[in-house]
Amino acid sequence: MSAPIWSSEATPLDTNRLALVIGNSTYPDAGSPLPQMTSDAEGLTNALRKNGFLVDAVDNATHPDMTRAIDHLRARVHLNSIVLVYFGGYGVQSDGQNYLIPVDAKIWSEEDVRRQGVSIDRLLSQLKTSGARVRLVVIEASRRNPYERRFRTYSHGLAPIQTSENALILSSAPPGQVVEDPDELHSRLMAALLTQIDSSKGIEEVFNNTRDAVVAATQGQQIPAVSSTLTESVNLWPARSGAPVSSAGSAASGRRE
């Protein structure tokens, strides 16, 4: 897949629940492919679509692909939207910001990172400006910078992600740390998330349980990071539990776990 795929499942779609899933595996300039990322993206896309999410899915996205997909997502956002964004691939930090790297990037300097990458912080800001009520982000990009030998400076993993009110972020590792990819179908983070996301629990509990499952599976070698500023409880699968999609005021603002 090199362009967005629009879903047409029989499950009734809920236009209040939107998702953008990007899995980048093939990086010609980086030299190290990430085969799990397209498998992770496919697994998450299927799980979300099965339960009524309106999902745009892009594999091996170029910079134009990512820009178009983000613009398409923003165009569908409204004031009641719960938006989930997933990115699996290479991420590089520069000047304290994190950039998602498209597969067509040719990076020889930090300036190239800022010019050719997609800023996570800017994406979150755009979603808020577009009116998304709740912003959920899963980032599987805490890897060793494949371009670091070309840089004058050295960066390890991702920088802290700045969040505004009513956002929840799950990352494969804390700021400044990297993880190794196992030789399996899915990354450890996605394997745990796909197990947890099939429950009818609130999304914050799902993310926390995912973190705990990865910690247990790796005996503490990998500790995913969960950052929350949610001000309401969010249930991704309201049809299963009979609960509303979200309930304002039931979560503590500004909490980080």
Side-chain angles (χ1 to χ4, degrees), residues 17 44 47-53 196-201 206 234-245:
R17 296 183 295 156
L44 181 59
L48 294 171
R49 287 178 171 172
K50 180 178 70 174
N51 288 279
F53 258 80
Q196 296 297 328
I197 209 170
D198 202 37
S199 71
S200 58
K201 299 182 176 67
V206 167
V234 179
N235 191 318
L236 291 185
W237 320 128
R240 293 184 188 174
S241 62
V245 173

Tab-separated table of all heavy atoms in Angstrom, residues 17 44 47-53 196-201 206 234-245:
chain	number	residue	atom	x	y	z
A	17	ARG	N	-15.262	8.593	15.666
A	17	ARG	CA	-14.023	7.876	15.975
A	17	ARG	C	-13.222	7.708	14.690
A	17	ARG	O	-13.580	6.927	13.811
A	17	ARG	CB	-14.333	6.533	16.621
A	17	ARG	CG	-15.020	6.662	17.975
A	17	ARG	CD	-15.243	5.309	18.620
A	17	ARG	NE	-16.170	4.498	17.846
A	17	ARG	CZ	-16.209	3.158	17.888
A	17	ARG	NH1	-15.362	2.500	18.643
A	17	ARG	NH2	-17.085	2.496	17.167
A	44	LEU	N	-3.349	-3.374	13.654
A	44	LEU	CA	-4.099	-2.319	14.333
A	44	LEU	C	-5.257	-1.828	13.474
A	44	LEU	O	-6.359	-1.588	13.992
A	44	LEU	CB	-3.163	-1.161	14.676
A	44	LEU	CG	-3.805	0.011	15.428
A	44	LEU	CD1	-4.407	-0.442	16.756
A	44	LEU	CD2	-2.792	1.127	15.658
A	47	ALA	N	-8.107	-4.263	13.736
A	47	ALA	CA	-8.767	-4.203	15.049
A	47	ALA	C	-9.671	-2.985	15.155
A	47	ALA	O	-10.796	-3.070	15.670
A	47	ALA	CB	-7.713	-4.180	16.157
A	48	LEU	N	-9.205	-1.848	14.658
A	48	LEU	CA	-10.001	-0.624	14.738
A	48	LEU	C	-11.208	-0.685	13.808
A	48	LEU	O	-12.325	-0.316	14.191
A	48	LEU	CB	-9.132	0.582	14.398
A	48	LEU	CG	-7.999	0.911	15.389
A	48	LEU	CD1	-7.096	1.991	14.819
A	48	LEU	CD2	-8.566	1.337	16.736
A	49	ARG	N	-10.986	-1.133	12.587
A	49	ARG	CA	-12.094	-1.194	11.624
A	49	ARG	C	-13.159	-2.197	12.037
A	49	ARG	O	-14.355	-1.972	11.824
A	49	ARG	CB	-11.554	-1.549	10.239
A	49	ARG	CG	-10.801	-0.411	9.561
A	49	ARG	CD	-10.262	-0.844	8.221
A	49	ARG	NE	-9.717	0.299	7.479
A	49	ARG	CZ	-9.039	0.193	6.354
A	49	ARG	NH1	-8.808	-0.997	5.842
A	49	ARG	NH2	-8.584	1.268	5.738
A	50	LYS	N	-12.734	-3.283	12.635
A	50	LYS	CA	-13.682	-4.315	13.074
A	50	LYS	C	-14.697	-3.750	14.046
A	50	LYS	O	-15.830	-4.228	14.126
A	50	LYS	CB	-12.906	-5.473	13.709
A	50	LYS	CG	-13.777	-6.625	14.206
A	50	LYS	CD	-12.927	-7.741	14.766
A	50	LYS	CE	-12.274	-7.327	16.075
A	50	LYS	NZ	-11.539	-8.460	16.716
A	51	ASN	N	-14.294	-2.721	14.753
A	51	ASN	CA	-15.159	-2.150	15.777
A	51	ASN	C	-15.665	-0.768	15.430
A	51	ASN	O	-16.030	0.017	16.305
A	51	ASN	CB	-14.417	-2.132	17.108
A	51	ASN	CG	-14.260	-3.526	17.686
A	51	ASN	OD1	-15.165	-4.056	18.296
A	51	ASN	ND2	-13.098	-4.134	17.461
A	52	GLY	N	-15.688	-0.451	14.124
A	52	GLY	CA	-16.403	0.732	13.684
A	52	GLY	C	-15.596	1.999	13.515
A	52	GLY	O	-16.164	3.031	13.154
A	53	PHE	N	-14.284	1.964	13.780
A	53	PHE	CA	-13.467	3.145	13.533
A	53	PHE	C	-13.394	3.426	12.038
A	53	PHE	O	-13.313	2.504	11.211
A	53	PHE	CB	-12.042	2.933	14.049
A	53	PHE	CG	-11.759	3.610	15.359
A	53	PHE	CD1	-12.181	3.036	16.550
A	53	PHE	CD2	-11.065	4.797	15.402
A	53	PHE	CE1	-11.915	3.648	17.767
A	53	PHE	CE2	-10.787	5.421	16.610
A	53	PHE	CZ	-11.222	4.842	17.796
A	196	GLN	N	-4.584	-6.202	24.421
A	196	GLN	CA	-5.310	-5.355	25.362
A	196	GLN	C	-6.461	-4.599	24.710
A	196	GLN	O	-7.503	-4.378	25.333
A	196	GLN	CB	-4.349	-4.359	26.016
A	196	GLN	CG	-3.273	-5.002	26.857
A	196	GLN	CD	-3.833	-5.765	28.048
A	196	GLN	OE1	-4.861	-5.384	28.608
A	196	GLN	NE2	-3.176	-6.854	28.419
A	197	ILE	N	-6.289	-4.196	23.461
A	197	ILE	CA	-7.283	-3.340	22.817
A	197	ILE	C	-8.571	-4.095	22.527
A	197	ILE	O	-9.615	-3.484	22.274
A	197	ILE	CB	-6.702	-2.744	21.525
A	197	ILE	CG1	-7.344	-1.377	21.231
A	197	ILE	CG2	-6.863	-3.687	20.340
A	197	ILE	CD1	-6.660	-0.618	20.106
A	198	ASP	N	-8.521	-5.408	22.588
A	198	ASP	CA	-9.718	-6.205	22.319
A	198	ASP	C	-10.636	-6.283	23.530
A	198	ASP	O	-11.678	-6.921	23.479
A	198	ASP	CB	-9.315	-7.618	21.873
A	198	ASP	CG	-10.418	-8.304	21.089
A	198	ASP	OD1	-11.112	-7.614	20.324
A	198	ASP	OD2	-10.591	-9.524	21.251
A	199	SER	N	-10.231	-5.630	24.617
A	199	SER	CA	-11.094	-5.586	25.800
A	199	SER	C	-12.043	-4.398	25.679
A	199	SER	O	-11.944	-3.588	24.768
A	199	SER	CB	-10.248	-5.441	27.070
A	199	SER	OG	-9.694	-4.135	27.137
A	200	SER	N	-12.967	-4.290	26.611
A	200	SER	CA	-13.899	-3.158	26.604
A	200	SER	C	-13.506	-2.120	27.651
A	200	SER	O	-14.316	-1.329	28.082
A	200	SER	CB	-15.330	-3.643	26.857
A	200	SER	OG	-15.416	-4.324	28.091
A	201	LYS	N	-12.237	-2.143	28.043
A	201	LYS	CA	-11.757	-1.200	29.049
A	201	LYS	C	-11.562	0.185	28.438
A	201	LYS	O	-11.496	0.352	27.225
A	201	LYS	CB	-10.441	-1.696	29.648
A	201	LYS	CG	-10.525	-3.035	30.364
A	201	LYS	CD	-9.188	-3.409	30.954
A	201	LYS	CE	-9.277	-4.706	31.773
A	201	LYS	NZ	-9.559	-5.871	30.929
A	206	VAL	N	-6.170	0.532	28.837
A	206	VAL	CA	-5.595	-0.285	27.764
A	206	VAL	C	-4.123	0.058	27.558
A	206	VAL	O	-3.265	-0.827	27.465
A	206	VAL	CB	-6.373	-0.081	26.451
A	206	VAL	CG1	-5.614	-0.657	25.260
A	206	VAL	CG2	-7.753	-0.743	26.544
A	234	VAL	N	-12.366	7.585	28.238
A	234	VAL	CA	-12.637	7.269	26.836
A	234	VAL	C	-12.681	5.762	26.660
A	234	VAL	O	-11.718	5.055	26.972
A	234	VAL	CB	-11.558	7.878	25.918
A	234	VAL	CG1	-11.832	7.519	24.458
A	234	VAL	CG2	-11.498	9.388	26.078
A	235	ASN	N	-13.797	5.253	26.152
A	235	ASN	CA	-13.960	3.840	25.848
A	235	ASN	C	-14.016	3.697	24.336
A	235	ASN	O	-14.909	4.253	23.691
A	235	ASN	CB	-15.233	3.288	26.495
A	235	ASN	CG	-15.308	1.771	26.426
A	235	ASN	OD1	-14.984	1.164	25.417
A	235	ASN	ND2	-15.735	1.154	27.522
A	236	LEU	N	-13.065	2.946	23.759
A	236	LEU	CA	-13.020	2.816	22.301
A	236	LEU	C	-14.157	1.969	21.749
A	236	LEU	O	-14.523	2.106	20.590
A	236	LEU	CB	-11.686	2.206	21.872
A	236	LEU	CG	-10.445	3.064	22.065
A	236	LEU	CD1	-9.237	2.350	21.485
A	236	LEU	CD2	-10.617	4.424	21.417
A	237	TRP	N	-14.703	1.084	22.585
A	237	TRP	CA	-15.710	0.154	22.086
A	237	TRP	C	-17.025	0.321	22.838
A	237	TRP	O	-17.460	-0.554	23.568
A	237	TRP	CB	-15.228	-1.292	22.235
A	237	TRP	CG	-13.786	-1.526	21.923
A	237	TRP	CD1	-12.876	-2.151	22.713
A	237	TRP	CD2	-13.088	-1.184	20.732
A	237	TRP	NE1	-11.655	-2.204	22.093
A	237	TRP	CE2	-11.758	-1.617	20.873
A	237	TRP	CE3	-13.458	-0.526	19.542
A	237	TRP	CZ2	-10.793	-1.422	19.889
A	237	TRP	CZ3	-12.505	-0.321	18.567
A	237	TRP	CH2	-11.190	-0.782	18.737
A	238	PRO	N	-17.709	1.443	22.704
A	238	PRO	CA	-18.940	1.669	23.472
A	238	PRO	C	-20.038	0.672	23.158
A	238	PRO	O	-20.865	0.371	24.009
A	238	PRO	CB	-19.347	3.092	23.060
A	238	PRO	CG	-18.693	3.314	21.728
A	238	PRO	CD	-17.395	2.570	21.804
A	239	ALA	N	-20.056	0.127	21.935
A	239	ALA	CA	-21.115	-0.802	21.553
A	239	ALA	C	-21.038	-2.092	22.361
A	239	ALA	O	-22.045	-2.753	22.592
A	239	ALA	CB	-21.029	-1.110	20.061
A	240	ARG	N	-19.835	-2.472	22.798
A	240	ARG	CA	-19.691	-3.716	23.555
A	240	ARG	C	-20.193	-3.581	24.979
A	240	ARG	O	-20.830	-4.465	25.521
A	240	ARG	CB	-18.216	-4.128	23.618
A	240	ARG	CG	-17.611	-4.518	22.301
A	240	ARG	CD	-16.203	-4.993	22.570
A	240	ARG	NE	-15.472	-5.207	21.343
A	240	ARG	CZ	-14.194	-5.512	21.309
A	240	ARG	NH1	-13.515	-5.636	22.422
A	240	ARG	NH2	-13.580	-5.690	20.152
A	241	SER	N	-19.844	-2.446	25.612
A	241	SER	CA	-20.119	-2.305	27.031
A	241	SER	C	-21.400	-1.558	27.344
A	241	SER	O	-21.853	-1.535	28.471
A	241	SER	CB	-18.953	-1.561	27.692
A	241	SER	OG	-18.829	-0.269	27.135
A	242	GLY	N	-21.965	-0.914	26.316
A	242	GLY	CA	-23.131	-0.094	26.547
A	242	GLY	C	-22.793	1.246	27.143
A	242	GLY	O	-23.676	2.031	27.467
A	243	ALA	N	-21.480	1.520	27.298
A	243	ALA	CA	-21.033	2.789	27.881
A	243	ALA	C	-20.894	3.833	26.793
A	243	ALA	O	-20.729	3.514	25.628
A	243	ALA	CB	-19.690	2.584	28.589
A	244	PRO	N	-20.952	5.115	27.162
A	244	PRO	CA	-20.712	6.157	26.170
A	244	PRO	C	-19.274	6.135	25.710
A	244	PRO	O	-18.398	5.608	26.403
A	244	PRO	CB	-21.032	7.453	26.933
A	244	PRO	CG	-20.827	7.102	28.367
A	244	PRO	CD	-21.238	5.660	28.491
A	245	VAL	N	-19.006	6.708	24.532
A	245	VAL	CA	-17.644	6.765	24.016
A	245	VAL	C	-16.744	7.484	24.989
A	245	VAL	O	-15.613	7.103	25.224
A	245	VAL	CB	-17.623	7.473	22.643
A	245	VAL	CG1	-16.189	7.683	22.179
A	245	VAL	CG2	-18.395	6.668	21.621
